[in-house]
Amino acid sequence: MKIGIIGAGAAGLSAAFDLSAKGHKVVVYESAPFIGGQASTIPVGGNPLERGYHHLFTNDQAILDLMSDLGVAEAMKWYPSRVGTYTSGKVYKTTTALDLLRFGAIPFFDRIKLGLFALKVGRIKEWRDLEDQTADYWLRERLGGKAYEKVWEPLLKGKFGDFYDRIGMPWFWSKIQTRFASRQGIRGREMLGYPDGSFDTIFDKLTAAIKSRDGEIHTSTPVERVEVVAGVAKALIAKSPSGEKIREEFDTILSTVPSFSFPDLVDLQDDYKKRLTDVHYLAAVVVVLEMDRPLTKFYWMNIADSDVPFLGLIEHTNMLPKEWYDGRNILYLTNYLDRTDPVYSMSQDELLDLYLPHLTKFNPEFDRSWIKKVHYNALSAAQPIIGTNYSKAIPDHRTPVEKLYLANTTQIYPEDRGTNYSIKMGRELADMIIEDEQHGWKSWK
Ligand SMILES: Cc1cc2nc3c(=O)[nH]c(=O)nc-3n(C[C@H](O)[C@H](O)[C@H](O)COP(=O)(O)OP(=O)(O)OC[C@H]3O[C@@H](n4cnc5c(N)ncnc54)[C@H](O)[C@@H]3O)c2cc1C
């Protein structure tokens, strides 16, 4: 088979890796000038660093398996993370379960309740029973009080911004499962994974393997249209880096583009299209500061204060060696927001003027002169908002157009999106494409 793949992120490249391993010809088109999609990197102090902070959890098995298949399993290293929570004008250490027991921002009784509650959710086996309620409602009803207000509500808001009260309960359930897997006992810190050499270690190996099997990866080559003949996907129409129109025929096409842009590439049956457009995406605005000293001693800061105009503060070099970045301390300031939010359209300088005055809340000595360099990234399809009863609304990988498949982050459920799950999905799609080739195309319904 000759397979055209749209997008060279974790999903597209993982699918290309497995399909090319089975002897199929793959051609990947990527609109950006680089590969890696949302997990792509920029050079900082001579080494690659993700545009948006990235780490892995101990139960991210699919990415570990892929690294093993690529011969780079030993590059994955595990680090204890340090977590803080900013609330009521103060930073609290909330790294271990014991820290939460000492978390003075909530009454003692609520702290006990919080711990018992997490254990209770951790024991729930069937997430489908939780599907018809939002996490916000479920937690407010069953946990409530300061324990919800100071711990879980800020986490939901930090992740989903203004859409925090629309998220289905399975998201919370899967978060608790992941967190339990990454923690070791009441005193234990959460262990987070990061590959030596950044996520590029995986993407570079994927690229080399695909190319060694006669596969092609074309960057700066956006696909503009999927050509369909008599209901069957036939060809991709793309624009070359020099602006010329390319038309290439394929036996099968896999798209990994976001749901909101897929209908621009191909005409789709209304009911399938509705499933795509019903899912709202949040964009991410990420400012990366290279500083000459750390701001705090924490890797991850939960922000439980609506006066702070960003949702997350991640100090990468409080978990990973700053020597990798020429001695610079790397601090990410991140926001998840609607693409219509004025903050999404702000320039780098406007964002700095908005954000920097708040950094003294985390360290009163902070001074702008600590910043040596600034990077700014905006990602339009950063976080899908997955609401209630989503298992009945999830778009099928097999689209209404024969031989055209879709694999994007809205099809990851009940887990939260992440590189691990895009890799898992990309590899499952490779199997599905091969199976359909052998047994015939199956309709999406
Ligand atoms: C700020 C931030 C922090 C994150 N932190 C983590 C983390 O800590 N751990 C973790 O595991 N995950 C994290 N993620 C999520 C993770 O990066 C993504 O879930 C994963 O990389 C998605 O991979 P994908 O291949 O499904 O999609 P994408 O990476 O979005 O890939 C899709 C690709 O398609 C390309 N494309 C789109 N349209 C076209 C077109 N018309 N023609 C050609 N190409 C096109 C895009 O340029 C892109 O490269 C984070 C994401 C963000 C935004």
Side-chain angles (χ1 to χ4, degrees):
M1 262 189 293
K2 184 178 174 193
I3 300 141
I5 298 180
I6 315 174
L13 291 180
S14 303
F17 174 70
D18 278 359
L19 288 164
S20 60
K22 299 262 166 65
H24 301 290
K25 165 83 181 175
V26 294
V27 180
V28 184
Y29 288 114
E30 167 57 54
S31 54
F34 46 80
I35 61 159
Q38 294 176 52
S40 59
T41 62
I42 47 170
V44 172
N47 276 311
L49 173 81
E50 287 69 30
R51 288 185 159 75
Y53 50 93
H54 269 72
H55 58 242
L56 295 164
F57 297 103
T58 49
N59 64 348
D60 281 342
Q61 196 53 45
I63 199 164
L64 297 174
D65 292 344
L66 177 67
M67 288 179 76
S68 212
D69 295 345
L70 293 168
V72 290
E74 75 290 349
M76 181 59 76
K77 300 281 158 57
W78 298 96
Y79 302 86
S81 89
R82 252 186 251 142
V83 182
T85 297
Y86 177 79
T87 184
S88 319
K90 210 175 145 192
V91 173
Y92 294 84
K93 183 169 171 253
T94 47
T95 305
T96 64
L98 200 58
D99 293 331
L100 279 176
L101 268 180
R102 297 182 185 131
F103 183 32
I106 57 177
F108 185 71
F109 173 72
D110 282 339
R111 286 177 242 163
I112 302 280
K113 214 166 122 188
L114 189 69
L116 294 175
F117 184 77
L119 285 173
K120 198 171 134 196
V121 177
R123 280 199 289 267
I124 297 176
K125 292 279 164 271
E126 194 38 84
W127 58 265
R128 280 173 209 276
D129 297 342
L130 309 169
E131 248 209 325
D132 58 348
Q133 300 200 11
T134 64
D136 177 62
Y137 180 79
W138 207 89
L139 294 169
R140 232 175 247 292
E141 285 288 299
R142 289 172 176 74
L143 177 64
K146 291 274 179 235
Y148 178 58
E149 262 173 49
K150 296 286 181 188
V151 178
W152 291 118
E153 190 184 50
L155 200 120
L156 271 165
K157 285 184 173 165
K159 190 83 185 153
F160 302 107
D162 291 344
F163 293 78
Y164 78 100
D165 55 357
R166 300 201 197 166
I167 305 304
M169 183 56 195
W171 174 82
F172 183 78
W173 172 87
S174 84
K175 191 100 255 162
I176 291 285
Q177 309 294 323
T178 307
R179 288 281 151 110
F180 274 158
S182 296
R183 250 176 225 289
Q184 298 162 335
I186 188 163
R187 285 170 192 279
R189 293 204 221 163
E190 189 170 37
M191 297 298 285
L192 298 178
Y194 189 80
D196 284 345
S198 83
F199 280 64
D200 274 7
T201 302
I202 303 164
F203 291 122
D204 289 349
K205 279 280 176 188
L206 280 172
T207 306
I210 293 163
K211 288 189 174 167
S212 74
R213 299 165 184 154
D214 199 28
E216 297 171 29
I217 301 173
H218 302 283
T219 51
S220 302
T221 310
V223 169
E224 296 184 331
R225 202 70 197 154
V226 177
E227 194 183 293
V228 179
V229 177
V232 183
K234 182 87 181 157
L236 287 178
I237 315 292
K239 199 171 167 191
S240 79
S242 54
E244 288 149 28
K245 192 167 154 176
I246 302 169
R247 180 184 176 277
E248 191 163 7
E249 291 195 3
F250 295 99
D251 300 311
T252 292
I253 292 169
L254 166 62
S255 169
T256 68
V257 308
S259 289
F260 58 77
S261 59
F262 190 50
D264 297 339
L265 302 184
V266 61
D267 295 332
L268 296 160
Q269 211 174 289
D270 284 348
D271 44 0
Y272 187 84
K273 190 171 159 184
K274 184 172 181 318
R275 288 184 177 220
L276 302 182
T277 49
D278 274 354
V279 179
H280 189 75
Y281 280 85
L282 288 181
V285 171
V286 186
V287 173
V288 191
L289 303 181
E290 290 184 38
M291 306 216 292
D292 65 3
R293 67 199 82 180
L295 181 75
T296 74
K297 56 183 190 322
F298 297 102
Y299 167 67
W300 189 275
M301 183 74 69
N302 294 317
I303 298 175
D305 184 337
S306 53
D307 288 344
V308 179
F310 45 85
L311 299 176
L313 194 152
I314 297 105
E315 227 164 335
H316 184 77
T317 39
N318 283 345
M319 188 168 85
L320 298 150
K322 62 179 183 177
E323 290 68 34
W324 290 352
Y325 312 102
D326 205 18
R328 293 276 164 86
N329 293 270
I330 308 295
L331 175 67
Y332 290 98
L333 305 174
T334 180
N335 246 333
Y336 285 101
L337 33 81
D338 203 80
R339 274 171 289 156
T340 56
D341 191 308
V343 175
Y344 184 62
S345 319
M346 278 187 180
S347 68
Q348 178 177 299
D349 287 342
E350 285 170 330
L351 275 177
L352 289 179
D353 287 342
L354 176 69
Y355 288 175
L356 296 187
H358 295 270
L359 293 191
T360 48
K361 292 179 173 163
F362 304 91
N363 181 345
E365 285 168 24
F366 169 75
D367 190 90
R368 241 180 139 120
S369 66
W370 296 7
I371 302 170
K372 299 302 162 201
K373 203 165 174 188
V374 181
H375 309 267
Y376 162 77
N377 304 296
L379 298 108
S380 63
Q383 177 71 57
I385 299 294
I386 305 297
T388 52
N389 294 319
Y390 189 60
S391 65
K392 296 170 195 84
I394 190 163
D396 204 284
H397 293 301
R398 294 179 180 95
T399 74
V401 174
E402 197 172 322
K403 300 290 177 98
L404 176 63
Y405 297 80
L406 178 69
N408 69 30
T409 55
T410 68
Q411 292 159 302
I412 294 166
Y413 185 71
E415 298 86 3
D416 189 19
R417 60 86 170 113
T419 49
N420 178 70
Y421 298 102
S422 284
I423 286 170
K424 182 166 178 265
M425 180 171 59
R427 301 190 89 175
E428 283 168 2
L429 260 289
D431 288 344
M432 191 185 281
I433 289 169
I434 292 168
E435 193 195 305
D436 287 356
E437 172 66 8
Q438 288 163 354
H439 301 109
W441 172 260
K442 295 190 189 85
S443 161
W444 73 281
K445 275 195 178 167

